[in-house]
Amino acid sequence: MSSADLTATELLSKYRDGSLSPVDVIEDVLARVEELEPKICATYALDPDGARAAARASERRWRDGSARPLDGVPVTVKENIATRGTPVPQGTAATELIPATEDAPAAARLREAGAVIFSKTTMPEYGMLSSGVSTFHPLTRNPWDLSKTAGGSSAGAAAAAAAGYGPLHIGTDIGGSIRLPAGWCGVVGLKPTHGRVAVGNPYPGRAIGPLARTAADAALALTVMSGYDPLDHTSLPGVEEVYRDDVPIDGLRVGLLLDAGVGLPVDPEVRTAVSTAAAVLEKAGALVEPIAPIITRDMLDGLDRFWRVRSAVDIAALPEDRRAKVLPEIRAWVSTARDLSGFEVFKGYSQMGAMAAAVVQVFRSYDVILSPVAPITAFPAELAYPTDDPSKPFEHIAFTVPYNMSAHPATTVNVGWSASGLPIGAQLAVPHHQDLRALALAAYLDSRQAERRDWPTG
């Protein structure tokens, strides 16, 4: 096995006992990237020289006994999380390429912990697509099937995790942008409690979280990144508890949500895989009950209207020459924004609160909400939306977006495979601040998978 495929916890153990060096590991990771990147297109601003220098510095710290919590662990960071000296194009050719002057809080915490940030990762246009379609980046593809999307907007992060570009990858999520690609690429992805990881540009629903092959690695990254930062007035104190994967299942109250009530119908293969995961929990003593849909058509459509106007305002502020570079599907989506009245826009905004209240009500009766991550498996890579219709852009996020609005943590774990060999993800949402518990439940389900497959090699 290449060291590029080792988990972060395994790497740290080997660094500690001297059986492996960060210098050797980064070479293996860079070799993997060189081999697969022409097919997958997951990276942006790859920095081999900087990575090698950081790995050498890490090696010295391990030798002199001053190693840090993530010392020498290779990490990628989504391109919209600022890193000093690198432009932040937000997935679009319409952005001026101005180098960031400083690290965003999450990137700064990772560097302080000794992580080797060797590359940024790709995202679609303005992060408003659940695919890798971008006017700036090459089209990111799913390592399990290159004809399929890796998802989005943390497209490159999920593809890099599945392909073995090192163990830790950091994404962002405002409606499912960590969990959807994680589910479609068969990895663990956590949208933390809102504010758990400080965001340099906070916005309702926006979160930063890890994608990894294991829940333990995701927990490690979360612990390092978490904590208050004055750049984010919504940020919370750091995670203080220690991650344990022996979460008790007996007596756990599980709400099984197999019908979102709105959006695309759930594929039978997805329903079967998630139902099987529920049966695993029930066999271990969990009390599993089917629950009714949480959100409504009005909620999802209202959110669409509000986000449509928000994006239209941003795009309208661009000079005409840059506005013309925006992806046609995005331009088509925002083109109707001026037709909406102020009453409609405010009602749309109010749906964020309505979603939050609906989720809170469910957690009065259940400890966990288990559902599909998405109603479908990965769709063709070239499509901006699974509907291929800019007027219906959010028909696939009804299982994920409620927890952005309610600020609850939610994580993904692979629970099965389609007949064509595509991963199928389940989502586990839990009450506020129980991020590590969500990951422990993901680890439990992962450890009891009926079928394991080798990671893709492109």
Side-chain angles (χ1 to χ4, degrees):
M1 174 189 289
S2 166
S3 66
D5 292 306
L6 294 176
T7 68
T9 54
E10 289 169 336
L11 288 176
L12 291 170
S13 177
K14 289 180 180 296
Y15 294 160
R16 196 171 293 114
D17 68 20
S19 62
L20 200 57
S21 162
V23 173
D24 297 327
V25 171
I26 198 61
E27 291 301 332
D28 280 352
V29 169
L30 292 173
R32 177 68 57 79
V33 172
E34 182 178 10
E35 175 190 2
L36 297 184
E37 189 59 5
K39 304 174 185 177
I40 295 171
C41 300
T43 64
Y44 161 66
L46 181 67
D47 183 15
D49 292 340
R52 291 182 175 110
R56 290 193 295 269
S58 176
E59 184 181 63
R60 289 193 294 270
R61 288 191 293 271
W62 280 106
R63 286 176 177 171
D64 66 21
S66 61
R68 304 167 186 174
L70 278 181
D71 229 320
V73 175
V75 175
T76 70
V77 177
K78 188 176 176 181
E79 63 105 309
N80 65 341
I81 302 171
T83 52
R84 62 178 180 267
T86 303
V88 184
Q90 300 183 79
T92 177
T95 301
E96 287 187 299
L97 297 181
I98 301 172
T101 58
E102 62 180 350
D103 286 340
R109 294 266 169 90
L110 291 165
R111 286 196 207 274
E112 290 165 5
V116 177
I117 300 176
F118 68 93
S119 184
K120 307 296 287 289
T121 50
T122 60
M123 62 182 282
E125 203 84 359
Y126 288 115
M128 290 306 298
L129 306 174
S130 296
S131 69
V133 176
S134 164
T135 55
F136 182 83
H137 299 294
L139 180 60
T140 304
R141 296 179 178 274
N142 193 318
W144 294 97
D145 181 342
L146 297 175
S147 73
K148 303 299 184 183
T149 186
S153 64
S154 302
Y165 290 13
L168 297 180
H169 308 273
I170 311 305
T172 65
D173 190 316
I174 197 171
S177 287
I178 287 172
R179 290 157 291 156
L180 289 164
W184 286 326
C185 288
V187 300
V188 173
L190 173 71
K191 184 210 77 69
T193 300
H194 185 87
R196 179 62 68 202
V197 178
V199 179
N201 50 344
Y203 194 84
R206 180 175 289 149
I208 290 176
L211 297 92
R213 288 181 173 182
T214 69
D217 274 7
L220 180 61
L222 176 70
T223 302
V224 165
M225 291 189 296
S226 70
Y228 174 77
D229 191 286
L231 291 177
D232 182 353
H233 63 277
T234 70
S235 58
L236 301 171
V239 173
E240 295 183 354
E241 63 266 36
V242 176
Y243 171 74
R244 297 170 57 98
D245 62 8
D246 57 348
V247 61
I249 304 298
D250 190 40
L252 190 73
R253 299 173 302 166
V254 178
L256 177 60
L257 180 65
L258 293 175
D259 177 7
V262 61
L264 296 173
V266 177
D267 184 285
E269 291 183 311
V270 173
R271 179 184 293 271
T272 296
V274 176
S275 297
T276 299
V280 168
L281 296 176
E282 192 167 37
K283 185 177 180 181
L287 308 174
V288 179
E289 295 180 357
I291 60 174
I294 297 174
I295 67 170
T296 65
R297 182 84 254 173
D298 280 349
M299 291 179 189
L300 191 62
D301 287 349
L303 191 67
D304 180 352
R305 294 187 189 103
F306 175 70
W307 279 355
R308 190 180 303 232
V309 170
R310 184 199 70 173
S311 295
V313 169
D314 292 342
I315 292 171
L318 298 174
E320 185 176 352
D321 62 327
R322 287 168 52 198
R323 195 160 59 242
K325 296 179 180 179
V326 174
L327 188 75
E329 288 89 340
I330 295 291
R331 295 205 308 270
W333 175 55
V334 303
S335 65
T336 59
R338 292 184 184 276
D339 300 332
L340 297 170
S341 70
F343 288 96
E344 289 173 308
V345 175
F346 179 78
K347 183 180 178 182
Y349 175 80
S350 71
Q351 296 311 301
M352 291 193 285
M355 282 191 191
V359 174
V360 169
Q361 184 66 24
V362 177
F363 278 124
R364 295 182 64 181
S365 302
Y366 297 98
D367 304 310
V368 140
I369 302 171
L370 172 65
S371 75
V373 180
I376 58 173
T377 55
F379 54 94
E382 292 79 10
L383 297 183
Y385 311 100
T387 58
D388 198 23
D389 182 352
S391 70
K392 298 178 179 179
F394 299 144
E395 298 302 295
H396 58 293
I397 69 171
F399 286 112
T400 52
V401 72
Y403 309 113
N404 294 86
M405 302 303 104
S406 68
H408 287 89
T411 192
T412 70
V413 63
N414 189 60
V415 291
W417 308 89
S418 72
S420 61
L422 293 172
I424 296 173
Q427 177 178 241
L428 295 151
V430 297
H432 293 129
H433 314 301
Q434 294 186 17
D435 308 68
L436 296 185
R437 190 180 193 207
L439 289 170
L441 289 168
Y444 182 88
L445 287 177
D446 182 58
S447 70
R448 285 153 179 82
Q449 278 196 66
E451 179 186 3
R452 292 193 175 276
R453 300 191 180 188
D454 293 337
W455 289 101
T457 59

